[in-house]
Every structure is written in structure tokens, then in C-alpha cells.
Amino acid sequence: MDTDSQRLIHTETGGQNGGSAVTPPQTKPGRKKPTSAGSASKRKSASKGAEHAALEEEQRKAAAAQAAVEDLQRRLAAVEAALAEERQKAAAAEQALAEQRTNAATHPGISERTAEQMPGGEAAFGLLPLTGFSGADMFNVSRKVIEQAVKQPPLVLKHYTNFMLEMGRVMTGQSAVEPGAKDKRFTDEVWKTNPFYRALLQTYLTWQQSLGAFIDEADLGKKDAERARFVLSLYVDAAAPSNTLLGNPAAMKKMYETGGASLVRGLTHMLEDLANNGGLPSQVDMKAFQPGKDLATSPGAVVFRNDVLELIQYQPTTPQVYRRPLLFVPPQVNKYYVMDLSPNKSLVRYLVANGLQVLTISWRNPTPEHREWGFDTYDRAIL
């Protein structure tokens, strides 16, 4: 009788010796689920949409780059045009200077330059331009201030210490120093919002206030103290950061907006002032107006002349005039046409049209040979 173990052995050996063996059931390979045509179409459409969006993005970038190139070309063209214009102005200024030199060489005893065209020292009777101070006065006042600093070291140390303490607050952003409400040099918002420019401004103002406080407490007489404050204001104002390109955010903005053309114009104006205005900044374009054409258009004639003045009588425009004439005596710093600027801005024209006889004095433009003239000279010339 076969046991279960014998049947098991028989089955295994039979399978090994060619007998019938149990074969495992074969499974059918699984089939993939067919994809629908709609899904494939959606994928193709999404792919095309992405490609189209990428193409549009590249086109936008190319258009932006082209616009930037065109803008740069416009800026370069503007700079080239400005340079050409400034070259023409410089050439005209050089030609005018050459003509002045030729006239001076041809007529050494006669100066055809106006007071505005002469160097500052000559135009102001030997005084410094715009101030009325001579170089000796400036030197004497500066010397007295330095003497006070040498004689009063504790006072110098006091204000130096105060200056350094305030500078510490400036560097840490805790300073409350601000420019005056009427100071138009620092109105740009960058002076308030930019940490660098704010610190630069507060450093300048702290230095200015420290020097002023020292002069207030120095052992100077009343007049010497007033002169010292005046001279100090000249030095301090000249050292203001707004007088430099990098220290003037408004000038930096203008240079960027114009592509550098504003800087070129400024340098050209400086060269013109050095050549034609004694180094002083011109307040107006001296070539824009010409007496008899744009200024002083009321008809008249010179009826008297001496070494100091000319007397001009304006032509009447009415059949009858008043017997008593009207004489204008302008200040020495003004021109005779101060009352006759233009046809629409002329007191002379108005008075003549109302029957008055109008005369005015035209002062001679002084030269270095007239440096000894004083108010007595002008008084005697009139009387």
C-alpha cells in the first residue's frame, strides 16, 4: 500500500525520469489598455501651446532688446548733436576771443570790452567779484581767525569735540541735523532717502555749524566777527558737496537722463566763462541781446560826453513836450537801458509817449587805468 510519502517520492522521481510531471498553469500575458485619440490630441495641443508661448516670450525679449538698442542709438545721436552744437559754440567763443585780442593789439589804448566781459578783478575796481572784498581783506580776516585758534586751544578743543560727537551720531544714523528751510541746494529727495548722501549732507552741515560756533565764541571785535562770518560763508559755500558732480544727485540724474550731454554742456560753459568772463559763471547769454536790436530800442542820441559818462536824449514822439526834462541817473552797476529793456518793457517809451523830455546817463565801463575812480569822480562828472 502506497503511503502518502511514497506517492510523493514516486511523483518527484517520476518527474525526473521522464514520467508525467505536473506542469504549472500558463498565464496569458496582459494586454495594455488602448489609449483614446482624444487624449493624444490634447497632449499634442498642449505641446503646441507651450511652444507658441515660448516663441512669443522670445519675440517679446527680442522686441525689448531692439527697443533698448534704438533708445541707446537715440541717446547717442542726442549726445553727438549736443557735442556738435557745443563745438560750434566753443569755436565761436574762440573766434570772439581772438577778435578781442586782435582789437587789443591794434588799439592798445582803447578797451571795447564791457564790464561783464572783463575779468572779475578788473570789472570790480580791483575787488573780488561778487563780494566787494579785496584779496588783502580776505587774507587779514583769515589770519585773525587762525590767530584766535592758536591763542584759544581750549575753545578749539571744545568745538572739535562737539563736532566729533555729532559725527558719531551722523555715522550711526541718529543725527537730527537738517538744512535750513530756505536752502535750495539740498531739496532733492535723494538727500533724505539715500544713506550715503544724507550722511554727506549732515557731515557738511555739522562742519559748517562748528566753524560758525567757533567764530561766535572767539575773542573777535564786532566788525572782525562780521567779516569773519562773511569770509567763512564764502569758503563753506564753495566747499558744499552740491558744487561737485558726484555730490549733486540732481546733476547725476540729469547726466543719466541726457546720456552725458548735460555734462558736456556744463564743461563747455565753463570753458566759455574762462575765455570770456574772467572765470566767473555767466548769469545770462551775453550774445542773446544786442543794444539797439533787442535792448534799448527807443530812438535817441548822445548830446554830451566826457571821460566818465555820456548823456543820451531820447527822441520825442509827441508834437509838444513839457518844458522841464526828466533825467535818469542809473547806478554805476547798471546800464543806461535799465529803463528801456524792450518795446513792451520800457519806462522811457511810456514817458516819451506822454510828452516828457527824457534823458539818461550812460556810465563808462572802467578799465584798470581807472582804478582810482571813486564816488567823487562820478559826482564831479555829473555836476
Side-chain angles (χ1 to χ4, degrees):
M1 183 174 76
D2 293 335
T3 62
D4 292 337
S5 59
Q6 290 175 340
R7 284 198 298 272
L8 178 60
I9 295 172
H10 175 74
T11 301
E12 291 178 352
T13 56
Q16 292 174 356
N17 297 324
S20 61
V22 180
T23 59
Q26 296 181 358
T27 61
K28 296 181 179 180
R31 291 180 298 173
K32 293 183 179 179
K33 186 177 180 181
T35 58
S36 64
S39 299
S41 176
K42 288 181 180 179
R43 284 197 298 272
K44 289 181 180 180
S45 177
S47 176
K48 289 182 178 180
E51 292 177 357
H52 183 68
L55 180 60
E56 288 183 346
E57 180 66 21
E58 293 299 328
Q59 289 175 345
R60 282 195 295 269
K61 290 181 179 180
Q66 180 65 25
V69 171
E70 292 177 355
D71 181 67
L72 180 60
Q73 290 175 343
R74 285 194 298 270
R75 288 178 179 271
L76 290 175
V79 171
E80 290 177 356
L83 286 173
E85 181 182 356
E86 300 305 333
R87 289 192 194 100
Q88 292 177 355
K89 290 183 179 180
E94 186 176 355
Q95 182 179 359
L97 182 60
E99 291 176 357
Q100 288 181 1
R101 289 173 177 170
T102 303
N103 291 335
T106 307
H107 305 89
I110 301 177
S111 175
E112 297 294 337
R113 295 181 297 173
T114 63
E116 291 87 347
Q117 293 172 319
M118 296 173 63
E122 297 177 15
F125 299 93
L127 302 179
L128 292 179
L130 308 179
T131 65
F133 253 46
S134 67
D137 292 333
M138 297 278 287
F139 176 79
N140 290 333
V141 171
S142 302
R143 178 177 55 81
K144 289 182 180 180
V145 173
I146 294 174
E147 287 178 354
Q148 290 299 315
V150 173
K151 292 179 180 179
Q152 303 182 64
L155 184 62
V156 175
L157 180 61
K158 170 188 172 182
H159 290 289
Y160 177 75
T161 303
N162 293 337
F163 170 76
M164 294 306 297
L165 290 174
E166 187 61 34
M167 282 302 302
R169 288 187 283 270
V170 169
M171 293 297 104
T172 57
Q174 300 176 0
S175 176
V177 177
E178 296 289 345
K182 296 182 179 180
D183 195 338
K184 304 301 182 182
R185 297 173 297 175
F186 308 107
T187 55
D188 196 287
E189 284 298 317
V190 175
W191 291 109
K192 300 177 182 178
T193 58
N194 186 285
F196 170 77
Y197 279 106
R198 181 173 178 81
L200 178 63
L201 169 61
Q202 291 180 330
T203 299
Y204 167 72
L205 295 177
T206 301
W207 172 64
Q208 179 185 37
Q209 293 172 3
S210 298
L211 292 177
F214 170 77
I215 290 178
D216 291 340
E217 297 185 27
D219 188 15
L220 292 169
K222 182 178 179 180
K223 290 186 177 180
D224 287 337
E226 291 176 353
R227 294 190 183 99
R229 293 189 192 95
F230 177 72
V231 173
L232 175 65
S233 68
L234 298 179
Y235 289 144
V236 172
D237 290 346
S242 56
N243 291 335
T244 65
L245 177 62
L246 295 178
N248 191 326
M252 294 290 289
K253 289 180 184 177
K254 192 69 174 178
M255 182 183 68
Y256 174 76
E257 292 171 355
T258 60
S262 62
L263 181 60
V264 175
R265 285 195 297 268
L267 291 174
T268 304
H269 292 328
M270 182 186 72
L271 294 176
E272 290 180 351
D273 291 336
L274 290 173
N276 302 320
N277 205 42
L280 295 176
S282 301
Q283 301 297 316
V284 296
D285 185 359
M286 292 183 291
K287 300 177 183 177
F289 302 98
Q290 297 180 8
K293 181 179 179 181
D294 307 292
L295 297 169
T297 58
S298 298
V302 176
V303 296
F304 175 78
R305 179 186 292 114
N306 60 24
D307 291 338
V308 180
L309 60 84
E310 290 181 343
L311 182 63
I312 300 173
Q313 182 176 15
Y314 291 96
Q315 180 179 336
T317 59
T318 57
Q320 294 182 340
V321 296
Y322 288 95
R323 178 178 300 177
R324 180 174 296 176
L326 176 64
L327 173 64
F328 283 120
V329 183
Q332 286 80 5
V333 296
N334 287 127
K335 296 297 185 181
Y336 68 92
Y337 47 77
V338 66
M339 299 294 181
D340 187 32
L341 295 178
S342 68
N344 296 326
K345 297 180 180 179
S346 174
L347 180 60
V348 169
R349 190 176 292 267
Y350 172 80
L351 295 174
V352 170
N354 284 274
L356 275 78
Q357 299 184 66
V358 180
L359 299 95
T360 188
I361 288 177
S362 175
W363 300 111
R364 180 174 183 174
N365 293 323
T367 63
E369 62 181 299
H370 307 124
R371 64 175 60 90
E372 301 300 329
W373 283 7
F375 285 109
D376 291 342
T377 306
Y378 292 96
D379 291 340
R380 288 193 299 269
I382 296 176
L383 301 177

